[in-house]
Structures are given as C-alpha cells and as structure tokens.
Amino acid sequence: MSTSIRKRLTYWLMPVLLLTGTTFAVPTWLNVHDEIDELFDKVLLDAAYALSHANYAQGVKPGSKDLALRGDGIDLVSQIRDSEGRILFQSHPFLPIPQGENSGYDTVNWQNQSWRVVNLKTDKGLIQVAQAQQERRETANEITLHLLTPLLILLPALTLWLGWAIGRGLAPLAQVADAVAHRNPQSLDPIPDKDLPAEVNILVGALNGLLNQLNQALSAQRQFTADAAHELRSPLTALSLQAQLAERAIEPELRAQALQTLRQGIDRASHLVQQLLTLARLDPEVGDSPLKPLFLDDLARNVVADFALLAANRHIDLGLTRSDHVLVAGAEEALRILFGNLIDNAIRYSPANARIDVSVINDAKTVRLEVNDTGPGIALDERGRVFDRFYRVLNSAESGSGLGLAIAKRIADQHQADITLNDGDGGIGLKVIVTFPENRE
C-alpha cells in the first residue's frame, strides 16, 4: 500500500527536526553542567580564601562559632582544622569532613552523598569548604531547562507549521488531480497551468501533452470509424444488389455473369476491409513495433516475388532492376506492407503490357526504394492529395480503396522516411521514391 507524499515528507523531516533538537540540546546540557561546575569550584575556592583571611585575622580557637560564611544563597559547609588536625570551626553541626591529603579539589562520599570539597592548606592548618553535588546538578538542570524551554516549545510548533506548509505546498497537486478527474473522452481540454509551481507545471505540461495526444487519437479514431462506415456502405450495397441479380437470373449465362460480378465485388470488399484493418493497426502510435536491423534488398526481393504472379496475370513486366545490399533499421512487417502497397498500386493502375521496375539504391548519403511504372501516372495537382485516406484519383478506371498510399505514408513516417511522387523515367508513368534518413549499412 503506497503512502502519501505528505506522510513521506513528514517521515523524512521529523527525524531531521529531532536530530536538530538533540544536536542543540545535548551540547547545551553538557556545557551548562561544565560551566556550573567551574563556577561553583571558584565559589568554593573563594570561600576557602575568605575563611583563611578570617582565621588569620581573628585567631580562631577550637569551638569558635563567630566566623560567618555567606554563599549568597548557595548551600556551603565549611570547617577549619589546626596544624594538628583538631577542628577549630564548623559552619554546621555535622560529622567532620574527611581530611584531604593535598590542597586542591576533591570529590568525597560524605553523609551518604557525593560532595565537592576544596582543601586549602595554610601555615595554621587546613581549611575545607564543601558543597553537595546534588545541589550543583539541580542548579545546572534548572538553568538548562530555562535555556531549552524555547526549543521545547519551538519544535512542536515547527512540526505543526511544517505539516501545514506541506499541505499548502501539495495543494496544487490536489488541484491538478481534481482537474484531471473532471476530464472525460468527450472533454480533453488542457489543464490550466496558471499560478502553479514550476515543479507542478512540469507535470501539468506532460499531462496536457498526453491529453492532446489522446484527443488527436480519439479524433482520428472517430474520423476513421466514420470514413470506414461510409466506404463500406457502398460495397455492401453493391454486393446486396449483385446477390439479388444472381438470385433472379434464370438463364445459366446470366447467372454465371452475375456470380462473377458478385465475386469481384466480394474481392474488392475484402481488399477494402484488409486495408482498413491494416490502417487501424498502424493508426495508434508509432513506437509499438520495435525497429530491428534488416536487409532492405532481401525484403524487396521477397515482396516482388509475392506479386509476380498477379503481375503476370495482368501481362505486366514486374522486376527488381537494382538491389544494393543495404542494412536499415525497420519493422519488417510494416515495411513489407509499404512495399506491397506501392507495387499493388502500380499493378492496379497500369495497363496490360506495362513495366514496373523496383530498385533498392544505396548511395553516399541515403537509402532509397523506388517503384517506377509506365502507367498513366498522377497529375501534379493531385499528388499532394493521394496520401489522404479514401482519396481516389479522378477518372481512374480502377476502383481501389483509396488507402494504399495513405498506409504507405503512415509506415514511412514511422521510419522517419520521406515518400515522394515523381514522373516516371522518360516522363512516362509514375515513380514513387521512399528515402530513408541515412545510410545505415
């Protein structure tokens, strides 16, 4: 089950926030405790020096109670020993502080807790000032809490703000999703991209491109369906009439003639349906059939062989006059249909005893397939339209589907090839040239 972008961003940002807070809080806590320890150590030492001066000034005797030690609210305990170790002064009635061996700071376990003690040795004895470690920790923790309180408040507030900001940042995606949800095959208008963030604009641009392609594909499909229905109506009507004539024919000769006409009509209708199916298969988008290396001359030779019998039956001289060995990248079945349609058109529209020459030419820059016939040709003003679907040359004796050259053009476009119509060799007939973009040998 996929998670939302909001949750993903939250999962990614929360550890960052926690790590940031921890990175700030832990050093702060350690630094405050270190600073408090240094500060209180200095207070202990200052207090010890103060007692030392008082000891020299007053000449403290054993059991003295008149020395005052004020720590400005800091709970300090102190005692003074003479040079023989006898206690001369204690600030509080407690068990004696353990006597240190050397001057300086020491940490001792006294009265069942840890104490920080400074030992100051003088000519007259030993001065000791102590403070409970617990008091230091409490003071340091209190100061740390005051310092970190803004952070403790800021982190939850920042988390809430990030959640709100993420929601606001993702709002354009919800807007785009809503716009897409309101689209349907009858309404493929572009999604508005005004005032959208640049990142969302990229997505909207891609979606609008897709919607445009879908709109074109659906329009082409609707146009194809309408054209196909229109083109099939006449042949089917003719077949129905021819079938009725065959049923009504009494004499064997008339019946045989009607059946032959019916058979020819069926052949034409079958050819039209086959062309429609081919065009429908090519119509969606180009990239469905992968382009693979193939030898163009071998393919042309096979297609010419396939149409040799049809050409012979119509007393047409069909041959492969030039076949340069050349390798191209193409979809074999699609190129076979392209070659076949060009040759089939040449056969259909050429009179008996005509000549059709097929050539595969590999020169320095291009690879060309040429189909040259000695038929009636196509007028210059019609050559631009013969690639349209269902367009037939005016005054043509042959009743074709008007799809052969449209299919050839479609396949040529798939292979990034150009297809052009020129006058035949010697100005007679028609020459169809398919030029591939580069020499791929």
Side-chain angles (χ1 to χ4, degrees):
M1 181 178 178
S2 60
T3 57
S4 66
I5 297 179
R6 180 192 293 248
K7 289 183 178 180
R8 291 185 181 184
L9 290 176
T10 302
Y11 292 155
W12 293 339
L13 290 175
M14 284 303 297
V16 175
L17 291 176
L18 292 176
L19 180 61
T20 302
T22 304
T23 303
F24 177 79
V26 172
T28 300
W29 187 86
L30 295 175
N31 289 336
V32 168
H33 280 69
D34 289 342
E35 293 295 331
I36 289 297
D37 284 338
E38 292 181 10
L39 176 63
F40 283 157
D41 282 349
K42 188 175 183 303
V43 170
L44 291 179
L45 185 59
D46 289 344
Y49 277 118
L51 285 177
S52 173
H53 293 315
N55 185 13
Y56 280 110
Q58 299 180 19
V60 178
K61 305 249 186 319
S64 296
K65 301 294 183 183
D66 53 351
L67 284 178
L69 180 64
R70 292 178 174 83
D72 294 330
I74 301 173
D75 188 11
L76 302 179
V77 296
S78 58
Q79 70 180 21
I80 301 176
R81 296 174 182 267
D82 61 15
S83 58
E84 296 179 359
R86 292 176 299 175
I87 294 177
L88 302 179
F89 167 78
Q90 283 185 312
S91 61
H92 297 78
F94 46 65
L95 294 176
I97 299 174
Q99 186 172 353
E101 297 181 359
N102 300 311
S103 294
Y105 296 101
D106 197 6
T107 301
V108 299
N109 188 3
W110 180 51
Q111 299 190 115
N112 296 323
Q113 59 178 319
S114 179
W115 288 75
R116 183 70 166 170
V117 181
V118 62
N119 300 301
L120 180 62
K121 288 190 175 183
T122 66
D123 295 340
K124 294 184 177 182
L126 177 65
I127 299 174
Q128 294 178 290
V129 181
Q131 181 188 30
Q133 291 278 50
Q134 180 64 29
E135 182 182 354
R136 291 188 173 202
R137 301 285 80 77
E138 290 175 356
T139 303
N141 290 338
E142 183 178 352
I143 295 174
T144 304
L145 181 61
H146 283 299
L147 291 175
L148 296 181
T149 295
L151 179 63
L152 296 176
I153 296 174
L154 180 62
L155 281 178
L158 184 59
T159 301
L160 294 176
W161 181 85
L162 281 175
W164 176 83
I166 291 172
R168 291 285 296 175
L170 295 177
L173 288 178
Q175 176 183 342
V176 172
D178 182 67
V180 173
H182 284 81
R183 296 298 186 275
N184 56 62
Q186 286 73 40
S187 174
L188 295 175
D189 299 329
I191 300 171
D193 56 0
K194 185 178 180 181
D195 299 329
L196 291 178
E199 295 80 2
V200 180
N201 248 332
I202 297 175
L203 173 63
V204 171
L207 287 174
N208 283 339
L210 177 61
L211 289 175
N212 182 52
Q213 292 178 13
L214 287 174
N215 192 27
Q216 293 179 358
L218 289 174
S219 298
Q221 185 182 42
R222 286 191 289 266
Q223 183 64 40
F224 175 80
T225 303
D227 291 344
H230 178 269
E231 292 297 320
L232 285 171
R233 185 181 298 115
S234 296
L236 291 178
T237 301
L239 287 177
S240 177
L241 293 175
Q242 291 163 4
Q244 292 177 11
L245 290 176
E247 289 176 350
R248 295 172 183 173
I250 300 176
E251 297 181 7
E253 294 182 358
L254 294 177
R255 180 175 298 175
Q257 183 178 1
L259 289 176
Q260 183 179 2
T261 304
L262 178 61
R263 188 178 301 107
Q264 292 174 349
I266 293 174
D267 291 340
R268 286 192 294 270
S270 298
H271 178 71
L272 174 60
V273 170
Q274 183 62 40
Q275 295 284 60
L276 287 172
L277 291 175
T278 300
L279 189 60
R281 190 165 63 249
L282 295 173
D283 247 351
E285 276 306 320
V286 175
D288 292 340
S289 299
L291 303 183
K292 299 179 180 180
L294 57 88
F295 288 103
L296 197 63
D297 54 313
D298 290 343
L299 182 60
R301 188 176 293 105
N302 292 334
V303 176
V304 169
D306 291 340
F307 283 87
L309 181 60
L310 176 62
N313 290 337
R314 301 190 64 161
H315 305 287
I316 293 174
D317 182 12
L318 171 65
L320 185 64
T321 58
R322 179 174 174 177
S323 57
D324 294 345
H325 197 53
V326 57
L327 190 68
V328 299
E332 181 175 355
E333 184 59 29
L335 289 179
R336 183 182 294 274
I337 293 173
L338 183 150
F339 294 177
N341 278 2
L342 296 182
I343 296 174
D344 182 67
N345 265 14
I347 294 174
R348 283 177 176 273
Y349 293 96
S350 294
N353 301 318
R355 178 185 176 94
I356 300 175
D357 295 328
V358 179
S359 304
V360 176
I361 302 171
N362 178 24
D363 61 20
K365 295 182 179 180
T366 61
V367 173
R368 300 192 308 276
L369 170 75
E370 297 182 357
V371 178
N372 184 85
D373 65 58
T374 57
I378 299 177
L380 287 175
D381 57 350
E382 289 191 278
R383 291 180 185 177
R385 299 192 58 191
V386 292
F387 294 111
D388 297 338
R389 297 175 180 179
F390 304 109
Y391 181 80
R392 298 186 184 91
V393 178
L394 296 176
N395 301 322
S396 173
E398 181 68 25
S399 59
S401 64
L403 291 174
L405 289 178
I407 293 174
K409 181 68 167 61
R410 178 65 173 166
I411 297 174
D413 290 342
Q414 290 182 7
H415 290 76
Q416 299 179 353
D418 294 325
I419 181 168
T420 55
L421 304 180
N422 296 333
D423 291 335
D425 293 340
I428 301 174
L430 180 73
K431 178 187 287 188
V432 183
I433 304 174
V434 181
T435 304
F436 290 85
E438 60 182 278
N439 193 334
R440 302 169 189 260
E441 188 170 18

